[in-house]
Amino acid sequence: MLAVSLVVAAALLLAGCGGGGGGARLTAPERGNQDINPHDPATLRDGGDLRIPLDNLPTNYNYNTIDGHEGQTHEVLSPLMPRAFKDAPDGGVVLDTDFVTSAELVSPSPQVVRYHINDRAVWSTGRPISWEDFAAQVTANSGANPAYLIADKSGYQDIAKVERGATDKDVVVTFRKTFAEWQGLFYGLYPKETDATPEAFNTGWLSQPQITAGPFKVGTVDQTAKTITMVRNERWWGDRPRLDRVIYTVTDRNALADRLANNEIDLYEIGSSIDLFRRAQTIPGIQVREATPKQFNQITFNGSPGAVLSDLKVRQAIARGINRQEIAQKVIGGIVPKVVPMGNHIYPFGAKDYRDNADVLPYDQAEANRELDGLGWARPAPGGVRAKAGKQLSLRMITPAGNPISDAISKIVLNQLAQLGVQVVIQAVPTGQFFTDFVNTGNFDLAGYQYVSSSASFANSMNVYQEPKGTDLGINFGRVYDPRIGPLYAQGFAELDDAKRADIGNQLDRIIWEEVHDIPLFPGTGAWAVRSTLANFGAKGLGDWDYVHAGFAQ
């Protein structure tokens, strides 16, 4: 299931069609847009390697674990793992018939969904994918057994039972209460062997993927060279992939352009880097492809008990002192002349249900100063740091080391909050430890990274904003919660009318703005520097990449 995912690379917002040397040309988001150089797969070269850079190797290849629930991990697993539905370019979903040939809501009350698994679908061991894999996924991810360190239980916790239908390929899922965005379930289906025990679930995929079922399979994972090599899966039952191999290599962002120019990789995400954007325009045989994506940069506030930001009024004052427009303009204004800040926590920019709700907590430095004064955080002198009861108002903002965009954002925030008398101490931490040792554990005051949503945006946002209960956080790493949120999510899950559910989602978003769980900054650009001969791949927008039909022109 693709819940709201976490990645550390920063990005910017562009839309339109790519071409060699294409310039910035954002006007408005376009739904249904992908920029992938579409070709009939039959006309493409048979073979070749697709070489993709990564910021880091996954720390856990089980995407359903809290440590594995990260955007790059999802991309690495996309050629390997089955799913019932995949994300469509318009932000909706489409049945992935390679894995599930039918999925029907056969009863609304009680809600019953019947799946038929592709009769030819098998795991890499040769065992057929069956209803038992669906059942095991629900057992592991429902939250019933806290020993399973799951990232997201939404939907799974609402399932009463999973039964065998007419054959082992028929799955009957009965819900104990309505879950409207059921198509978002079983997005990342794992084999029953992985879900059998908490140990297998939590630690069985730490070093590399185990049992898989995709057009590609794992060839090697080289921890020294920091590469993952995937090869064609000889058991694959669908269309034959055009590529021989997909190779992921950890690459420092400062080296991306040089490696692309030296023919060592075939594309890179431009993200928010003006340098990477400009370099892409100068490399022969490279196109800039652009399509509005599902991701946005944000700053998470740590509101856990005892933290300086546990006080809602302090969080609101700090948020009012952060000028999102200035951040976006300074970070990406050289690429996007008319920067549009992100205005929604739940729905992707450009999706049909997106509304800009940022008016709930607008930038207002004067009001922020008045609020902090009223809360007793006294400023000794202009340029000084506010203090209360002998304690300075100092916030530790963590950033992934070596990420120039995160570094730029944090420095802008430091300067903006200094104008309020709030001290920001920037701590750059190793990229591989950013989530595991800092974000996941609440070891921060402010943390900047990206959220990546999915087509089941409402359901997949719940684990970010759910009520923290002991160690059950979902991925609410800031431990910020408003008691109005749970009932509204429950109401939305029970609402099968898409428009009404979107209204509920936007009610929720306004509360999330008010509670200052996190501050959205700007949407991702969806801009990629891509080798011009690479077809059916590139800027995927709101959809998924297609590894089966990707390849190189003759």
Side-chain angles (χ1 to χ4, degrees):
M1 180 177 184
L2 180 57
V4 177
S5 311
L6 311 176
V7 296
V8 297
L12 62 148
L13 176 62
L14 298 173
C17 298
R25 47 189 178 276
L26 170 66
T27 53
E30 298 180 24
R31 290 193 290 114
N33 177 48
Q34 284 189 320
D35 191 0
I36 59 173
N37 187 23
H39 277 64
D40 179 349
T43 67
L44 301 179
R45 177 160 57 93
D46 184 18
D49 295 341
L50 174 57
R51 300 160 299 175
I52 304 174
L54 292 176
D55 286 338
N56 53 270
L57 294 181
T59 56
N60 192 328
Y61 291 86
N62 184 351
Y63 182 72
N64 293 325
T65 65
I66 192 167
D67 286 340
H69 208 68
E70 189 262 336
Q72 284 196 130
T73 304
H74 170 258
E75 294 299 358
V76 168
L77 292 166
S78 292
L80 302 175
M81 305 306 293
R83 62 270 185 101
F85 288 83
K86 55 187 177 182
D87 290 353
D90 66 355
V93 294
V94 60
L95 196 67
D96 190 340
T97 54
D98 279 331
F99 296 105
V100 175
T101 55
S102 66
E104 301 174 284
L105 178 66
V106 296
S107 170
S109 182
Q111 183 179 3
V112 179
V113 178
R114 182 176 295 133
Y115 300 85
H116 183 78
I117 304 166
N118 191 309
D119 291 331
R120 297 181 295 161
V122 297
W123 295 105
S124 54
T125 58
R127 179 177 66 79
I129 300 176
S130 78
W131 73 275
E132 292 179 320
D133 297 301
F134 280 67
Q137 181 110 338
V138 172
T139 298
N141 289 275
S142 67
N145 184 347
Y148 285 90
L149 303 180
I150 60 174
D152 187 11
K153 62 184 176 183
S154 58
Y156 293 116
Q157 67 180 346
D158 299 320
I159 294 174
K161 58 184 177 180
V162 179
E163 300 174 290
R164 180 184 186 273
T167 71
D168 284 347
K169 292 286 187 177
D170 293 293
V171 190
V172 181
V173 178
T174 302
F175 291 77
R176 62 170 55 90
K177 60 180 180 180
T178 303
F179 182 70
E181 290 188 330
W182 57 271
Q183 294 96 333
L185 297 171
F186 308 110
Y187 189 96
L189 181 69
Y190 279 73
K192 65 181 181 180
E193 292 86 350
T194 294
D195 294 326
T197 67
E199 293 74 22
F201 182 90
N202 298 335
T203 63
W205 289 57
L206 291 180
S207 59
Q208 69 175 53
Q210 301 298 316
I211 301 172
T212 60
F216 290 85
K217 67 178 184 179
V218 177
T220 59
V221 175
D222 189 329
Q223 297 288 347
T224 302
K226 298 188 181 303
T227 61
I228 304 168
T229 301
M230 300 181 187
V231 298
R232 284 173 176 160
N233 176 11
E234 70 279 1
R235 296 186 187 274
W236 176 245
W237 56 93
D239 290 348
R240 185 173 184 268
R242 305 305 300 174
L243 297 165
D244 287 322
R245 300 189 301 177
V246 178
I247 303 171
Y248 300 90
T249 304
V250 173
T251 303
D252 187 281
R253 287 187 63 79
N254 293 324
L256 288 172
D258 287 339
R259 295 203 69 198
L260 185 63
N262 293 335
N263 196 29
E264 297 172 16
I265 56 176
D266 293 303
L267 73 166
Y268 64 71
E269 186 176 12
I270 291 171
S272 304
S273 173
I274 297 174
D275 179 62
L276 289 177
F277 178 76
R278 291 173 177 165
R279 286 290 306 278
Q281 294 175 310
T282 66
I283 301 173
I286 298 302
Q287 296 176 331
V288 174
R289 301 180 185 174
E290 311 163 12
T292 307
K294 299 189 291 277
Q295 62 206 51
F296 65 93
N297 284 77
Q298 57 79 50
I299 300 172
T300 290
F301 285 53
N302 185 352
S304 59
V308 65
L309 294 176
S310 61
D311 186 327
L312 171 62
K313 295 298 184 182
V314 173
R315 292 200 304 274
Q316 290 175 333
I318 298 296
R320 289 188 193 279
I322 296 176
N323 187 338
R324 301 179 309 117
Q325 181 68 50
E326 181 186 26
I327 293 172
Q329 192 67 44
K330 285 186 174 180
V331 174
I332 62 174
I335 305 171
V336 186
K338 297 180 180 180
V339 180
V340 181
M342 184 71 181
N344 201 294
H345 298 79
I346 295 176
Y347 298 106
F349 194 84
K352 62 182 177 62
D353 297 323
Y354 175 90
R355 299 175 197 167
D356 190 331
N357 294 312
D359 62 292
V360 172
L361 199 69
Y363 168 66
D364 190 333
Q365 191 180 83
E367 178 62 22
N369 272 305
R370 285 191 292 269
E371 289 177 349
L372 290 174
D373 288 341
L375 291 168
W377 288 98
R379 193 170 189 175
V385 179
R386 292 177 181 272
K388 182 178 181 181
K391 181 180 180 180
Q392 286 191 324
L393 186 48
S394 179
L395 305 176
R396 185 167 55 96
M397 184 168 186
I398 63 167
T399 65
N403 189 311
I405 305 308
S406 296
D407 182 61
I409 291 171
S410 62
K411 287 178 179 176
I412 297 169
V413 171
L414 181 152
N415 291 329
Q416 289 180 351
L417 293 185
Q419 297 174 43
L420 299 181
V422 178
Q423 181 184 62
V424 174
V425 178
I426 300 171
Q427 181 181 358
V429 304
T431 300
Q433 299 172 27
F434 181 78
F435 286 106
T436 56
D437 295 355
F438 292 89
V439 176
N440 298 10
T441 60
N443 186 10
F444 65 93
D445 292 311
L446 300 172
Y449 49 95
Q450 284 186 340
Y451 283 156
V452 181
S453 186
S454 81
S455 51
S457 304
F458 181 90
N460 294 163
S461 66
M462 189 201 75
N463 62 337
V464 182
Y465 305 110
Q466 73 176 58
E467 181 180 7
K469 294 181 179 179
T471 59
D472 182 9
L473 303 174
I475 54 175
N476 184 356
F477 300 130
R479 281 82 168 167
V480 171
Y481 178 73
D482 186 295
R484 294 172 291 176
I485 284 178
L488 276 173
Y489 268 113
Q491 182 182 346
F493 289 149
E495 180 54 72
L496 293 172
D497 184 294
D498 291 344
K500 292 179 179 178
R501 189 169 63 257
D503 286 340
I504 296 168
N506 278 288
Q507 289 179 50
L508 269 166
D509 182 56
R510 296 186 72 81
I511 294 171
I512 295 166
W513 274 105
E514 183 182 329
E515 72 167 8
V516 200
H517 177 284
D518 61 270
I519 296 296
L521 298 178
F522 50 86
T525 64
W528 289 77
V530 187
R531 199 165 303 286
S532 60
T533 53
L534 180 59
N536 300 329
F537 210 82
K540 61 183 177 179
L542 300 179
D544 280 329
W545 274 336
D546 181 354
Y547 287 89
V548 173
H549 299 123
F552 293 92
Q554 300 277 6

